[in-house]
Amino acid sequence: MPRTPDLLALFDESHRSRTVRELIDASGPTKSTVVRLVATLEQRGLPVTLIVPGRPCAIWS
């Protein structure tokens, strides 16, 4: 099971957005797990946005 920090580590200055597929491929969880983790980050006020299915997930700093 991936941890939220594992997902956050996939974002950096040159990768400010990632597709859900990229997050799944890089960290191994299912689509529903990635969406749930990102939604939790959003709810907790972190600067991350899950845009729409098939579109990038972006982290803002």
Side-chain angles (χ1 to χ4, degrees):
M1 176 75 151
R3 297 176 316 138
T4 304
D6 298 332
L7 290 181
L8 291 175
L10 298 172
F11 295 93
D12 58 27
E13 202 53 41
S14 61
H15 297 98
R16 296 180 59 80
S17 66
R18 297 279 190 173
T19 64
V20 171
R21 172 55 44 203
E22 288 173 323
L23 295 174
I24 292 166
D25 291 346
S27 60
T30 63
K31 179 180 177 181
S32 61
T33 299
V34 167
V35 170
R36 188 172 61 252
L37 289 172
V38 171
T40 299
L41 291 171
E42 284 181 299
Q43 291 170 354
R44 293 186 179 182
L46 276 92
V48 56
T49 303
L50 185 62
I51 301 172
V52 292
R55 302 277 173 111
C57 170
I59 188 162
W60 313 104
S61 57

